[in-house]
Amino acid sequence: MMKKQWRGAALIVLILIMPGCWSLIEINDNALVTAVYLDITEEGLVELTLGFPLTTRMIPGDIGGTADGGDLYATVTKTAENIPTAYRKIQADLSRIITWGHTRIIVFSSEFAESGVYESLEFFTRQPDFHLTASVFIAPDKAADIAGLTPAFERLPSEVLHEFVNHEVTLDVKVKDFMRAYHYGGNMLAPLLTIGEKPMISEGGEKSTWVGTGGAALFHKGRMVGELSVPLMRGAMWFERRTEDAVITIDSFTDGKPVSIIVLYADIKKKPQIKDGNVLFELTIEVDDDLLAVDSDIDVTVPSLLHKLEKQFEAAIKERIEGAFKETQAHQADVFNIGQYLEWYYPDYWEEVRSQWHEKYSDVMLECDVTIKINRPGSVKNPPWAKEEIEI
């Protein structure tokens, strides 16, 4: 009898929960934000632009285009004294509920980034459905202009920026990285974008907006304080262990003509040392490469010449790394998290210097050891045109 009563009670509970979730919002009632663009107006107000895919125009199973040939995405922009107010203004004009679960990109204008980003990021991190793995980018001018790029190979502009990170052609910086860096002084590197107009065959030869990757924005205390050039940004990526398929080109010591290698594998080790009260940071890099292209007359089948070429590549990588490091020291911005390594290895010392670490960071010594091994130089000594003049 008791067993039957328990079964009856369980059946009643199941019946009660079958109607579904009380807070359910149908997918057709959602406006899915995929990208956020933040600018500052001349009056000092926040200009918030949200990018949305137009799901009603997407053709199921199709990889691009719409049924009527229109765009697959739209942006909505509002201006206010802060982000929450601008957000509510956008929501008031939409027929759907804004949701943040698909937001993958946040783009700050350089002017906005110079004023500080933490107050803005705080709003997004408080949204329950916002993912802290959204990538952060810096636009050279107006962030909203990035939304106007032509996504020739993707469906949405946000997907183009997301693929830049996936293919490791620029720094991979997430919102969570900024939030973690806050506790160590708000020092960060963030990828810079480039933007321009150029004729595109995909658009019938008409000029369209093209967005690419540039150097890196340098942050100190949550504010953009400088930039790294593209070569120095590549040097910084060695610190971040993002070197897969990296291509490095130098001018050969034999005739000054270019030689290129592609990184197959890199073993990167980092460790701090305390010597005579000073911080020494050891960066050890071992790289396996293949020759990618040789325009020089160097005979890469001669071991002694190949070894000398490897040394030349080692010097080039080391120069980039040291250049990036010195630039961050000039701004007292520990973007490579050396302070965190000190906290792990030397917690007592870190407690002593933590309050004045910004000043101490400028005195940190970098010991960079790079070893390159070219595994497959190829069976061709050098191209036949390297030593022969071609008569036309």
Side-chain angles (χ1 to χ4, degrees):
M1 184 67 180
M2 197 68 173
K3 186 180 291 185
K4 290 183 178 180
Q5 289 178 346
W6 278 109
R7 288 179 178 176
L11 182 61
I12 292 173
V13 171
L14 290 174
I15 292 174
L16 290 175
I17 64 175
M18 281 183 65
C21 179
W22 63 271
S23 60
L24 175 68
I25 299 178
E26 295 291 344
I27 187 69
N28 291 338
D29 295 329
N30 286 325
L32 310 175
V33 178
T34 57
V36 178
Y37 308 91
L38 288 164
D39 292 291
I40 291 181
T41 66
E42 294 181 356
E43 296 77 20
L45 299 176
V46 172
E47 184 177 282
L48 174 66
T49 301
L50 301 182
F52 304 91
L54 300 178
T55 54
T56 55
R57 295 187 180 183
M58 293 183 175
I59 304 173
D62 190 32
I63 61 172
T66 62
D68 58 2
D71 288 332
L72 285 170
Y73 55 91
T75 60
V76 183
T77 302
K78 292 294 180 181
T79 301
E81 60 274 14
N82 55 34
I83 293 178
T85 305
Y87 154 69
R88 291 307 302 173
K89 285 184 176 182
I90 293 176
Q91 181 62 83
D93 285 353
L94 296 183
S95 59
R96 298 189 178 193
I97 304 300
I98 294 175
T99 58
W100 305 98
H102 289 75
T103 307
R104 306 167 83 180
I105 301 296
I106 296 182
V107 181
F108 292 96
S109 69
S110 56
E111 183 181 5
F112 197 112
E114 288 169 358
S115 67
V117 299
Y118 277 114
E119 290 184 0
S120 305
L121 293 178
E122 191 265 351
F123 167 79
F124 296 107
T125 57
R126 286 185 179 274
Q127 308 310 309
D129 53 346
F130 181 85
H131 293 286
L132 298 181
T133 54
S135 298
V136 177
F137 291 87
I138 308 301
D141 193 10
K142 192 174 175 63
D145 291 343
I146 302 297
L149 70 85
T150 303
F153 297 97
E154 309 295 338
R155 280 188 164 197
L156 309 173
S158 59
E159 291 180 352
V160 175
L161 304 186
H162 188 68
E163 291 304 318
F164 287 159
V165 172
N166 282 349
H167 295 303
E168 299 189 1
V169 296
T170 191
L171 294 167
D172 180 14
V173 178
K174 312 293 188 185
V175 171
K176 65 178 182 180
D177 298 322
F178 267 93
M179 304 312 293
R180 182 170 56 243
Y182 174 81
H183 300 285
Y184 292 89
N187 303 304
M188 282 294 299
L189 286 176
L192 276 171
L193 298 171
T194 60
I195 186 171
E197 300 284 329
K198 60 173 59 178
M200 297 179 62
I201 295 177
S202 62
E203 309 306 310
E206 296 183 1
K207 281 191 174 182
S208 300
T209 301
W210 183 264
V211 172
T213 58
L218 185 62
F219 283 80
H220 178 53
K221 296 183 178 180
R223 300 174 184 271
M224 180 177 166
V225 295
E227 297 181 12
L228 295 184
S229 64
V230 173
L232 294 186
M233 184 270 289
R234 301 292 183 200
M237 291 180 74
W238 288 95
F239 274 94
E240 303 299 324
R241 296 189 174 98
R242 296 187 63 82
T243 58
E244 184 178 352
D245 295 333
V247 175
I248 305 164
T249 301
I250 61 171
D251 294 329
S252 172
F253 63 90
T254 58
D255 57 3
K257 294 183 179 179
V259 180
S260 300
I261 59 173
I262 183 170
V263 175
L264 302 177
Y265 171 78
D267 181 28
I268 303 174
K269 298 177 181 177
K270 298 183 279 187
K271 185 178 180 180
Q273 297 281 357
I274 306 295
K275 293 186 177 181
D276 300 325
N278 298 315
V279 179
L280 172 66
F281 193 73
E282 298 176 350
L283 182 64
T284 306
I285 302 173
E286 297 180 358
V287 188
D288 290 337
D289 307 272
D290 275 356
L291 274 179
L292 189 63
V294 180
D295 292 338
S296 169
D297 64 1
I298 184 174
D299 189 345
V300 295
T301 62
V302 177
S304 60
L305 295 179
L306 186 63
H307 179 69
K308 193 172 182 179
L309 188 65
E310 290 171 341
K311 291 297 181 183
Q312 194 177 357
F313 275 108
E314 291 172 2
I317 294 175
K318 186 175 180 179
E319 181 181 4
R320 290 183 179 184
I321 294 172
E322 291 177 343
F325 188 76
K326 289 178 181 178
E327 187 66 23
T328 65
Q329 286 185 308
H331 293 89
Q332 297 183 341
D334 179 16
V335 300
F336 302 122
N337 304 316
I338 292 175
Q340 292 187 39
Y341 282 90
L342 285 174
E343 185 178 23
W344 298 336
Y345 284 87
Y346 303 97
D348 294 337
Y349 178 82
W350 172 247
E351 288 302 319
E352 293 178 11
V353 302
R354 182 169 191 164
S355 60
Q356 66 265 25
W357 176 240
H358 295 311
E359 293 78 15
K360 287 279 188 180
Y361 177 69
S362 299
D363 298 325
V364 173
M365 296 176 289
L366 176 66
E367 186 176 283
C368 183
D369 182 22
V370 182
T371 303
I372 281 186
K373 177 65 176 176
I374 298 177
N375 291 325
R376 293 184 289 271
S379 59
V380 180
K381 293 182 179 181
N382 46 55
W385 54 84
K387 291 186 177 180
E388 300 176 3
E389 293 187 3
I390 302 177
E391 296 183 0
I392 302 178

